[in-house]
């Protein structure tokens, strides 16, 4: 094995003549979009794809991607760091099983994680060997399938992002399409019908060996608390193949909406259709619900789905205003405050420096994501609230009134006012809002401790 991570030194297979280079999930967007259904995709569809997947270059690229992504072990407890040694001993056997179609994926390890809006989401963590194989398959399928997907699909696609979906949604609203049909697919990744999905995939590729292996991935059991549960539906999030298979299935909804001339944005299973009136929205909701449930055998969550003015709903954490401008959704602000509360909890027993470091890590990413929102006043108030939380932590660390007084005096507060504040008997939160606390721990004090200012970072990102 070299420093580049080349485990498959010799050609794993020799492809039949007439094929091009194997695709890559990281190929340039322009190159992938150049493949048309009329020429490139038909040629690729009829190729023996397992030979493409097992090419030395493709397998090595997949290995490097799995190593870079790291991730937790699967049910066999093999780590990413141990994958290289395993492949050195078993790569010929692995390639042979892929080429003859006998490869059997292992069960996935089930992990439950909390969802931002409440409840839990199930992740399925494949073994590192299965992740390698899935990644190698993805690198060949993605350049074939992605160029055929709708322009209104933005999730899990190279060169596309949530911000692009939001900008397009803003354009629709600014044009007068201010009523949104906000559709929520109930537990989408857990409810994908295997027969429907494999039927859509079989329309695009003819290599039976690849189809068999993908179905085995879909049907691999999931281990929960030491018990293996068989799967008859769903494609659990956590493996490299799940996103593209989800997009393949939901592309049928996209194409139907395009055929009807609708304006819409879809990010993974988050679908918004923009119309001019509530009546039109109700008609779209009813017809698209029928299509999704009958054709794709998925379920629309009637409780979470709605037809409403865009300002009453959220999309990808943002709220759209009547003129098409973006704002931060109230629920997103509350989630951010919940995270900040958890980081600045006074009972954590960590240093203020470590607390600020954790805060900075969260705040920097959060404000970068919401940089397109009209949110200066919200961020100013949030900054003030964060500083008061930290003042509260620092004062409580002094433990007693006399120590608080000495601390305030050391920061330049006149002794009389410092003693009045430190000996007031008020609670820590009220004390943190006092003029003496503000004077002692002012903006300069927080800058000295390198606390991220949401307002300053936001303004910087605007330029």
């Amino acid at each position: 094995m070299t420093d580049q991570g080349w485990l498959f030194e010799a050609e794993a297979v020799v492809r039949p003549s007439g094929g091009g280079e194997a695709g890559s999930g990281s190929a340039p967007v322009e190159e992938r979009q150049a493949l048309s259904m009329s020429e490139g995709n038909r040629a690729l569809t009829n190729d023996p794809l397992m030979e493409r997947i097992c090419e030395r270059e493709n397998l090595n690229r997949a290995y490097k991607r799995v190593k870079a992504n790291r991730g937790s072990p699967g049910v066999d407890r093999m780590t990413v760091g141990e994958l290289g040694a395993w492949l050195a001993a078993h790569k010929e056997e692995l390639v042979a099983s892929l080429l003859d179609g006998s490869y059997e994926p292992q069960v996935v390890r089930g992990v439950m994680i909390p969802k931002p809006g409440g409840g839990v989401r199930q992740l399925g963590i494949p073994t590192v060997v299965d992740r390698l194989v899935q990644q190698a398959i993805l690198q060949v399928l993605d350049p074939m399938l992605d160029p055929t997907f709708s322009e209104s699909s933005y999730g899990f696609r190279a060169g596309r992002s949530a911000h692009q979906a939001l900008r397009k949604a803003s354009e629709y609203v600014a044009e007068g399409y201010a009523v949104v049909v906000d559709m929520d697919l109930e537990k989408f990744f857990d409810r994908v019908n295997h027969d429907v999905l494999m039927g859509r995939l079989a329309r695009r590729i003819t290599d039976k060996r690849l189809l068999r292996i993908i179905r085995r991935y879909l049907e691999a059991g999931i281990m929960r608390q030491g018990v293996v549960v068989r799967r008859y539906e769903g494609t659990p999030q956590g493996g490299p193949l799940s996103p593209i298979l989800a997009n393949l299935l939901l592309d049928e909804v996209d194409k139907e909406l395009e055929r009807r001339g609708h304006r819409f944005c879809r990010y993974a299973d988050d679908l918004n259709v923009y119309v001019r009136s509530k009546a039109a929205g109700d008609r779209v909701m009813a017809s698209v619900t029928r299509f999704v449930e009958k054709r794709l055998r998925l379920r629309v969550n009637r409780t979470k789905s709605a037809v409403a003015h865009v300002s009453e709903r959220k999309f990808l954490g943002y709220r759209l205003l009547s003129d098409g401008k973006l704002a931060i959704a109230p629920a997103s602000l509350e989630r951010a405050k919940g995270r900040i509360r958890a980081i600045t909890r006074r009972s954590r027993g960590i240093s203020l420096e470590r607390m600020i470091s954790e805060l900075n890590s969260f705040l920097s990413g959060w404000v970068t994501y919401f940089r397109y929102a009209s949110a200066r006043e919200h961020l100013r108030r949030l900054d003030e609230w964060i500083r008061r939380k930290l003042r509260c932590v620092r004062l409580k660390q002094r433990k007693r009134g006399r120590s608080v007084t000495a601390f305030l005096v050391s920061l330049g507060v006149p002794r009389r006012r410092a003693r009045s504040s430190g000996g007031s008997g008020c609670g820590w939160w009220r004390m943190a809002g006092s003029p003496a606390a503000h004077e002692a721990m002012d903006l300069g004090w927080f800058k000295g401790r390198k606390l991220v200012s949401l307002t300053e970072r936001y303004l910087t990102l605007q330029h």
Side-chain angles (χ1 to χ4, degrees):
M1 182 170 58
T2 68
D3 290 338
Q4 286 89 10
W6 301 111
L7 274 169
F8 298 86
E9 291 96 354
E11 286 290 342
V13 294
V14 177
R15 288 222 330 270
S17 60
E21 284 297 316
S24 165
S26 57
V29 176
E30 296 82 0
E31 178 182 322
R32 290 156 63 228
Q33 289 176 339
L35 297 170
S36 68
M37 279 297 289
S38 60
E39 296 179 3
N41 278 318
R42 286 182 181 173
L44 285 168
T45 300
N46 293 323
D47 270 355
L49 295 181
M50 286 309 305
E51 277 72 17
R52 288 178 175 268
I53 290 163
C54 292
E55 283 184 338
R56 176 184 65 89
E57 187 78 17
N58 190 56
L59 290 171
N60 279 321
R61 192 161 57 248
Y63 171 68
K64 291 173 71 176
R65 179 63 64 86
V66 170
K67 278 193 68 176
N69 289 345
R70 299 181 181 274
S72 302
V75 294
D76 63 356
R77 297 298 172 188
M78 184 191 298
T79 66
V80 171
E82 297 167 333
L83 177 60
W86 186 92
L87 288 173
H90 300 281
K91 59 188 175 186
E92 290 84 3
E93 175 188 341
L94 172 65
V95 170
S97 67
L98 290 171
L99 290 173
D100 65 21
S102 64
Y103 181 80
E104 290 282 353
Q106 296 189 60
V107 299
V108 299
R109 181 165 65 90
V111 176
M112 307 302 288
I113 62 171
K115 296 170 67 174
V120 293
R121 174 183 291 115
Q122 177 174 271
L123 293 185
I125 301 177
T127 65
V128 290
V129 175
D130 283 331
R131 295 209 292 270
L132 169 76
V133 174
Q134 286 195 37
Q135 180 64 35
I137 293 172
L138 173 65
Q139 290 170 176
V140 170
L141 288 187
D142 186 70
M144 291 171 48
L145 300 180
D146 188 89
T148 72
F149 292 156
S150 169
E151 286 295 312
S152 297
S153 165
Y154 296 89
F156 305 130
R157 300 181 65 188
R160 288 173 170 265
S161 68
H163 288 147
Q164 289 177 330
L166 288 160
R167 282 197 290 272
K168 179 56 71 173
S170 295
E171 291 175 14
Y172 292 148
V173 175
E175 292 168 3
Y177 296 86
V179 174
V180 62
V181 181
D182 185 356
M183 298 195 70
D184 182 88
L185 300 180
E186 187 175 296
K187 296 182 178 178
F188 169 73
F189 285 93
D190 296 333
R191 295 274 169 81
V192 169
N193 183 284
H194 293 170
D195 291 335
V196 173
L197 175 57
M198 291 306 301
R200 301 309 184 269
L201 190 59
R203 295 176 184 173
R204 309 290 189 100
I205 63 177
T206 58
D207 192 319
K208 302 298 183 183
R209 298 165 298 175
L210 178 56
L211 291 171
R212 281 198 301 270
I213 288 174
I214 291 176
R215 180 175 275 276
R216 287 172 190 156
Y217 271 122
L218 292 174
E219 295 177 346
I222 186 164
M223 182 176 286
R224 302 173 186 146
Q225 299 178 332
V227 177
V228 177
V229 180
R230 294 196 64 185
R231 280 212 319 268
Y232 299 96
E233 61 180 3
T235 171
Q237 300 175 75
L241 273 178
S242 289
I244 194 170
L245 294 179
N247 272 335
L248 174 65
L249 184 62
L250 292 176
D251 187 62
E252 189 155 348
V253 181
D254 299 341
K255 293 300 195 294
E256 179 64 16
L257 290 171
E258 288 176 350
R259 188 184 67 79
R260 300 180 186 184
H262 288 305
R263 292 158 177 80
F264 69 97
C265 295
R266 181 176 65 78
Y267 191 93
D269 57 337
D270 200 345
L271 173 63
N272 278 6
V273 185
Y274 298 92
V275 295
R276 290 186 181 274
S277 68
K278 178 71 162 55
D282 289 336
R283 290 193 296 272
V284 171
M285 177 67 82
S287 62
V288 175
T289 296
R290 285 194 299 271
F291 181 89
V292 167
E293 295 186 340
K294 290 183 178 179
R295 286 285 294 273
L296 303 183
R297 301 184 197 174
L298 298 170
R299 299 180 193 173
V300 174
N301 188 324
R302 267 88 171 161
T303 302
K304 294 184 178 180
S305 301
V307 177
H309 190 274
V310 289
S311 61
E312 300 172 21
R313 306 294 291 179
K314 65 182 177 68
F315 183 46
L316 301 176
Y318 280 76
R319 182 167 68 100
L320 284 95
L321 306 179
S322 299
D323 57 1
K325 290 183 178 178
L326 295 167
I328 303 175
S332 298
L333 280 170
E334 285 306 309
R335 281 199 296 272
K337 292 182 78 170
R339 180 73 181 276
I340 294 165
R341 286 189 188 97
I343 294 172
T344 59
R345 197 171 62 250
R346 298 196 294 273
S347 60
R348 291 188 68 197
I350 63 173
S351 68
L352 189 69
E353 290 72 22
R354 179 178 166 189
M355 190 174 285
I356 288 175
S357 176
E358 291 181 16
L359 264 179
N360 286 347
S361 179
F362 167 70
L363 296 175
S364 297
W366 186 83
V367 75
T368 298
Y369 179 74
F370 285 106
R371 65 188 180 274
Y372 295 111
S374 300
R376 186 170 179 176
E377 184 59 25
H378 282 303
L379 297 179
R380 183 189 65 78
R381 291 198 298 269
L382 196 54
D383 272 333
E384 291 177 351
W385 180 74
I386 291 168
R387 289 194 294 268
R388 184 169 178 179
K389 295 283 286 182
L390 292 173
R391 290 186 186 105
C392 191
V393 170
R394 188 68 189 94
L395 291 173
K396 186 176 184 295
Q397 288 175 343
R398 304 300 297 189
K399 296 184 179 179
R400 295 179 178 84
R402 185 175 298 177
S403 180
V404 168
T405 299
F407 171 67
L408 295 176
V409 169
S410 73
L411 292 175
V413 178
R415 183 169 293 278
R416 178 180 294 179
R417 289 206 296 121
R419 187 183 299 118
S420 174
S421 184
S424 66
C426 296
W428 298 113
W429 179 250
R430 186 173 175 184
M431 194 184 299
S434 69
H438 276 257
E439 182 180 344
M441 294 173 277
D442 59 7
L443 287 175
W445 189 84
F446 282 108
K447 283 184 178 179
R449 279 144 189 81
K450 297 182 171 56
L451 174 67
V452 164
S453 165
L454 291 171
T455 306
E456 290 181 6
R457 184 64 60 91
Y458 172 76
L459 293 175
T460 300
L461 291 167
Q462 302 304 298
H463 300 293

